[in-house]
Amino acid sequence: MSNEIAVQHGVIPHEVHEHHDGHHHHETFITKYVFSQDHKMIAKQFLITGIIWAIVGGLMSVLFRIQLGYPDATLPWLEDIFGHWAKDGKIQPEFYYALGTMHGTILVFFVLTAGLSGTFANLLIPYQVGARDMASPFMNMLSYWFFVLASIIIMASLFVQTGPASGGWTVYPPLSALGDASQGSKIGMDLWLISMAMFVVSQLLGGLNYVSTILNMRTKGMTMTRLPLTIWAILFTAILGILSFPVLFSGFILLLFDRHLGTSFYLSDIVLGGNILPNEGGSPILYQHLFWFLGHPEVYIIILPTMGLVSEVMSINARKPIFGYMAMIASMFAIALLAFLVWAHHMFVTGLNPFLGSVFVLLTLLIAVPSAIKVFNWITTLWRGNIRFTPGMLFCVGFVSMFISGGLTGIFLGNSTLDLHLHDTYFVIAHFHIVMGVSAFMGMFAGIYHWFPKMYGRYMNNTMGYIHFWVTMVCAYVIFWPMHYEGFAGMPRRYYDYSGWESFKHFVELNRVISFAAILSFLVQLMFVFNFFYSIFKGRKVTTQNPWGANTLEWTTPIRPGHGNWPGEIPEVHRWAYDYGKDGKDFIPQTEPVGKDESTH
Amino acid sequence: MGDVMTVEQKKIHPYKFNLWLGLAGIIMMFAGLTSAYIVKRSQPGWESFTLPRIFLYSTIVMLVSSVTIQVALKAFREREMARYRLFFGITAILGIVFMIMQINGFYQFQANGMKMIGIGSNPAYSFILAIAGVHVLHVLGGLIAMLVIVSRVYGKKKRNYDSVPIEIMTTYWHFVDLLWVYLFVFFSLLH
């Protein structure tokens, strides 16, 4: 209980939660594991909820890949499980669209936004800035429970009679605004909107906390330029979230108006089922602007935290300082800024003014500059490093590989002239899955393997980790590389069955290969999940405080820290986080004072 | 504790900082809504309107309530609890009056044949309802927060002179006030 005493006499001057700390010292099961206000527990809650969602979302992709790879097959067991959604053993078109929509929603928002930021922001911010907890632990807890609420609502939407939302994860009106337009635009769409509203609240509550903790609660000596890059990345992510999610919210408000109050924000001149609708004066393009004003920052909300994680894990395992620390921060800042200025590149084919389009082309291509700087810095961090190929490190290298492959195709798509041909084809699918799907997962896995010992006091199994990495890496390329060719050939995304199209039916076998790889990679992720849960209880125990020989503050805490993190005073910081291989020493923790003859970075 | 207090005063309280960040988020939401309004306005099918006068009166009510909550805060800091309770109560009542006036204003729109919802509605009027309606919800949120602050005073046995919740409340209230003034000017100029 010594650590709890420390909370009350903390050296951090403004322990805001101090005044009510006296009440929750007697931790019960409920306050410790369920309604916990400890950042470490909330991080684990986010992670495990995210894992559950990843399994659900991944399974959905397996199901629609079955349809795409084997369009003629009848699989009676599907009907046993899904009833009328898979009549006669075939996935029905409505089901197929619902699967695609929910796969996107779940992976983008519930896994790679909440599951990723929620886990690592909560875990690492207090640890690495040297704080006992978040600025407002209560808001932090609320953030998680709003996420759970959003999860429950969207999960419920999978079980309603007319099915979940199925108009694509972007839920463009007019399809999403008119309940009579499709099965998926009925109650499922409402549940989707309500769930996303809860999700936005969750993200805002969390984001406010992340920013204010990073800016206000750093320990003594922890200047901004001594922060690990993980924290910088999370800071930019949180700011992006705070500024862009409310705009999405405003788009949803207008959509709800159109759905239920007969307004015409997005609707005009529509004939539905032979009937002319009375709505006039609306514009569906308006929704796209509001959506993509969030939607584009959203992809950086997904990728920035993993950039931070990768920078940190890579530097530790290369036993070298991160190359270009300030350049890393500057390029993340540039990415965060440009994130708000490029949204219309998703809308080149909406009749956007070509002159306006060319501005967005320029701004979009500018993103290649900071991205390339980051890639260069990662490669130069690896260069002549004393590399330890832990599973975490392998996933870092995998991340860089994926980020390059996916980033390069971004240059194709960012050009409006090329985009006219490639828009809504499999080329786009390949691009964004590689650059923000697989890359983000690689970065997330790197983080999980690396910080698992800190979270649970045990290691994950390495052998399974290596198998996980190599199969994932190979499968990811086998799945998405061929999709570029399909996209060049003009094969549109979201179609239910390509075998009936003269232009695309020669891709049926290629699709089968892709489906095979997709199913294999899903199974390997299940092995990871097994490894994760098995290791929580049976993994090899961590016996040293600092198993990776890392510099950051979380490794100065006990192996299994209590609420408050440090039993004594919070350590003071004297140097940046990347003194690896300096002056003949393998590593110098941030807490070590700078020697007389020593140069600072 | 002496040193601790001085350090504490230098830095902004984390809750207040959270509030400012939250306000940035709210600003972004209304920026999204009002820019949507501007875009729509330049497109065909837009019908112009004049705001019913009640919105001018509600603006005045809101401005007055900003003064009263400031008086309440000042009274709290000076430990004049009776005056604090009086003006805090007046602010809450003005808030409720504001909400009633706003909703009344929406009905006046409908009554004047400017349909905000349903068949025959025009996006121009619908926007007023959506934007001002979301603003009313923010005022309602403020009123709920006031209720929480008041109930805490009665719930606790020991006296609490922590002014942070009231300062946060005051900042938020000024914010929704300014936000409405902005919206009022916006609707008056760009109709």
Side-chain angles (χ1 to χ4, degrees):
Chain A
M1 291 280 123
S2 58
N3 54 328
E4 282 153 5
I5 296 160
V7 169
Q8 297 214 311
H9 304 288
V11 287
I12 279 285
H14 42 266
E15 286 292 341
V16 283
H17 56 283
E18 210 163 3
H19 55 272
H20 58 77
D21 247 3
H23 302 293
H24 65 86
H25 277 173
H26 309 287
E27 284 190 314
T28 61
F29 181 82
I30 299 280
T31 59
K32 188 168 182 200
Y33 292 105
V34 184
F35 294 106
S36 172
Q37 298 193 14
D38 186 354
H39 71 99
K40 298 182 287 291
M41 183 53 68
I42 296 174
K44 292 176 197 171
Q45 289 174 326
F46 266 113
L47 181 56
I48 290 174
T49 316
I51 288 176
I52 293 167
W53 271 122
I55 297 170
V56 175
L59 190 62
M60 288 173 168
S61 72
V62 166
L63 290 173
F64 66 65
R65 276 317 315 184
I66 289 176
Q67 162 61 28
L68 289 171
Y70 305 91
D72 302 322
T74 46
L75 304 162
W77 56 271
L78 281 175
E79 193 177 3
D80 295 341
I81 301 170
F82 297 106
H84 71 275
W85 289 109
K87 219 166 123 209
D88 305 327
K90 282 189 69 67
I91 287 170
Q92 297 299 301
E94 291 83 8
F95 187 35
Y96 176 81
Y97 293 125
L99 285 172
T101 303
M102 297 318 284
H103 169 77
T105 306
I106 288 168
L107 266 301
V108 168
F109 293 113
F110 290 77
V111 181
L112 290 175
T113 303
L116 176 65
S117 287
T119 303
F120 289 103
N122 278 307
L123 183 72
L124 295 179
I125 292 174
Y127 268 153
Q128 293 194 333
V129 306
R132 301 221 179 263
D133 207 318
M134 288 286 186
S136 169
F138 178 71
M139 270 171 68
N140 216 19
M141 180 183 78
L142 273 188
S143 163
Y144 174 70
W145 286 100
F146 267 103
F147 172 49
V148 171
L149 190 61
S151 297
I152 291 170
I153 295 170
I154 206 105
M155 192 68 97
S157 86
L158 302 178
F159 294 95
V160 297
Q161 173 77 27
T162 49
S166 57
W169 77 279
T170 51
V171 298
Y172 281 172
L175 181 59
S176 62
L178 301 167
D180 296 330
S182 80
Q183 290 280 299
S185 302
K186 295 188 199 312
I187 181 89
M189 190 62 230
D190 288 317
L191 292 172
W192 192 95
L193 286 168
I194 296 165
S195 166
M196 286 306 300
M198 297 299 119
F199 185 85
V200 170
V201 172
S202 155
Q203 283 302 302
L204 292 177
L205 287 171
L208 302 180
N209 242 325
Y210 305 154
V211 175
S212 82
T213 309
I214 294 170
L215 294 183
N216 294 314
M217 300 187 63
R218 299 189 307 278
T219 184
K220 200 176 173 195
M222 182 62 92
T223 57
M224 289 304 277
T225 48
R226 284 178 183 166
L227 284 174
L229 287 171
T230 37
I231 302 300
W232 272 104
I234 290 165
L235 176 66
F236 286 123
T237 307
I239 293 172
L240 283 181
I242 292 169
L243 295 181
S244 64
F245 271 112
V247 179
L248 177 76
F249 197 65
S250 65
F252 287 166
I253 291 169
L254 300 184
L255 187 55
L256 278 170
F257 266 74
D258 273 6
R259 286 179 61 79
H260 295 293
L261 296 174
T263 55
S264 311
F265 292 114
Y266 303 135
L267 303 171
S268 189
D269 307 318
I270 293 166
V271 180
L272 185 63
N275 302 318
I276 301 168
L277 297 187
N279 305 80
E280 264 183 70
S283 156
I285 305 295
L286 182 63
Y287 174 84
Q288 297 195 17
H289 280 293
L290 291 171
F291 181 87
W292 286 114
F293 191 82
L294 159 97
H296 200 79
E298 170 64 23
V299 306
Y300 297 111
I301 289 171
I302 288 173
I303 205 70
L304 278 172
T306 63
M307 287 176 163
L309 297 174
V310 165
S311 304
E312 177 71 14
V313 175
M314 185 179 272
S315 176
I316 290 169
N317 287 301
R319 310 312 289 164
K320 270 184 68 189
I322 191 80
F323 189 91
Y325 174 79
M326 291 307 278
M328 286 297 213
I329 297 171
S331 43
M332 280 194 284
F333 175 75
I335 290 174
L337 189 69
L338 287 169
F340 286 109
L341 305 173
V342 297
W343 78 92
H345 70 211
H346 299 269
M347 300 165 60
F348 284 143
V349 297
T350 56
L352 191 76
N353 184 327
F355 293 107
L356 191 59
S358 63
V359 175
F360 280 101
V361 170
L362 175 70
L363 290 165
T364 302
L365 296 186
L366 273 181
I367 294 180
V369 177
S371 307
I373 291 172
K374 293 194 78 74
V375 167
F376 178 81
N377 287 350
W378 285 316
I379 292 173
T380 36
T381 300
L382 291 174
W383 176 254
R384 295 187 158 210
N386 189 6
I387 298 176
R388 299 189 303 207
F389 284 106
T390 60
M393 182 61 165
L394 282 178
F395 275 107
C396 286
V397 179
F399 168 91
V400 176
S401 163
M402 284 290 162
F403 189 70
I404 295 172
S405 304
L408 286 175
T409 52
I411 298 174
F412 291 58
L413 290 168
N415 281 291
S416 56
T417 36
L418 271 171
D419 187 64
L420 293 182
H421 175 62
L422 295 171
H423 188 86
D424 261 355
T425 65
Y426 267 69
F427 193 87
V428 179
I429 303 270
H431 162 69
F432 75 75
H433 273 93
I434 291 181
V435 80
M436 70 172 235
V438 184
S439 291
F441 266 105
M442 293 260 171
M444 192 175 176
F445 287 137
I448 293 171
Y449 280 103
H450 185 80
W451 277 285
F452 191 88
K454 192 71 249 170
M455 280 193 264
Y456 294 102
R458 291 173 187 270
Y459 294 95
M460 287 179 75
N461 181 296
N462 265 2
T463 312
M464 279 196 271
Y466 291 133
I467 297 170
H468 178 212
F469 170 74
W470 284 109
V471 178
T472 306
M473 184 79 187
V474 171
C475 281
Y477 273 122
V478 172
I479 294 167
F480 296 114
W481 198 270
M483 286 190 187
H484 292 102
Y485 303 121
E486 296 181 336
F488 278 139
M491 191 168 116
R493 62 194 279 203
R494 299 201 175 104
Y495 280 27
Y496 170 66
D497 182 357
Y498 295 91
S499 58
W501 299 80
E502 199 54 48
S503 316
F504 312 123
K505 66 180 180 192
H506 56 284
F507 285 130
V508 166
E509 275 151 23
L510 189 56
N511 276 337
R512 198 162 298 158
V513 174
I514 294 173
S515 293
F516 176 77
I519 293 163
L520 182 61
S521 81
F522 178 73
L523 294 176
V524 153
Q525 306 316 310
L526 290 184
M527 191 193 69
F528 161 77
V529 174
F530 169 76
N531 189 359
F532 182 86
F533 286 104
Y534 179 82
S535 302
I536 290 176
F537 302 105
K538 302 276 179 180
R540 187 162 54 90
K541 277 190 174 170
V542 176
T543 49
T544 54
Q545 218 178 5
N546 188 357
W548 307 121
N551 289 340
T552 41
L553 290 178
E554 74 269 32
W555 306 105
T556 63
T557 61
I559 294 172
R560 286 170 178 274
H563 196 174
N565 297 343
W566 286 270
E569 293 192 345
I570 298 180
E572 191 180 335
V573 167
H574 299 279
R575 57 177 75 233
W576 74 331
Y578 297 102
D579 274 337
Y580 294 103
K582 189 188 182 197
D583 302 340
K585 283 191 195 168
D586 187 30
F587 68 102
I588 312 174
Q590 285 189 281
T591 49
E592 205 168 302
V594 179
K596 263 186 191 159
D597 309 323
E598 196 185 342
S599 59
T600 48
H601 80 276
Chain B
M1 287 299 277
D3 316 339
V4 172
M5 290 305 285
T6 50
V7 179
E8 200 167 347
Q9 277 154 4
K10 270 185 217 155
K11 272 193 175 176
I12 183 167
H13 191 284
Y15 286 2
K16 286 186 192 166
F17 193 82
N18 275 356
L19 176 77
W20 285 106
L21 290 172
L23 298 186
I26 298 174
I27 288 172
M28 285 306 291
M29 181 163 74
F30 280 92
L33 286 168
T34 48
S35 51
Y37 179 96
I38 292 169
V39 171
K40 267 314 312 128
R41 194 172 145 262
S42 62
Q43 288 172 353
W46 183 264
E47 288 176 26
S48 66
F49 55 87
T50 43
L51 280 178
R53 279 198 86 72
I54 193 159
F55 285 109
L56 176 65
Y57 303 138
S58 72
T59 311
I60 295 166
V61 167
M62 202 64 200
L63 284 170
V64 171
S65 77
S66 241
V67 176
T68 56
I69 199 167
Q70 194 63 37
V71 173
L73 176 65
K74 190 163 173 285
F76 186 89
R77 282 186 179 144
E78 290 164 0
R79 302 279 183 272
E80 293 188 36
M81 295 325 244
R83 193 150 63 92
Y84 154 70
R85 275 193 289 271
L86 174 68
F87 278 92
F88 206 66
I90 291 175
T91 310
I93 291 166
L94 288 175
I96 294 166
V97 170
F98 172 80
M99 285 171 57
I100 293 169
M101 289 172 94
Q102 295 294 87
I103 293 163
N104 187 282
F106 300 148
Y107 278 107
Q108 287 193 19
F109 255 98
Q110 294 278 89
N112 293 344
M114 297 185 280
K115 287 195 75 177
M116 290 177 146
I117 52 172
I119 294 169
S121 62
N122 188 281
Y125 317 136
S126 307
F127 259 119
I128 305 279
L129 179 64
I131 298 175
V134 172
H135 177 263
V136 165
L137 289 181
H138 281 80
V139 174
L140 181 66
L143 284 171
I144 291 168
M146 281 187 188
L147 204 67
V148 171
I149 290 174
V150 170
S151 67
R152 274 196 181 166
V153 170
Y154 289 104
K156 271 190 186 152
K157 291 207 175 71
K158 61 180 176 187
R159 289 189 173 209
N160 190 350
Y161 288 115
D162 182 14
S163 67
V164 170
I166 293 138
E167 284 170 15
I168 288 176
M169 187 63 236
T170 307
T171 311
Y172 179 78
W173 197 258
H174 289 325
F175 171 76
V176 287
D177 181 3
L178 275 178
L179 184 60
W180 172 249
V181 172
Y182 158 70
L183 292 175
F184 178 70
V185 173
F186 180 84
F187 289 141
S188 303
L189 294 180
L190 305 171
H191 49 74

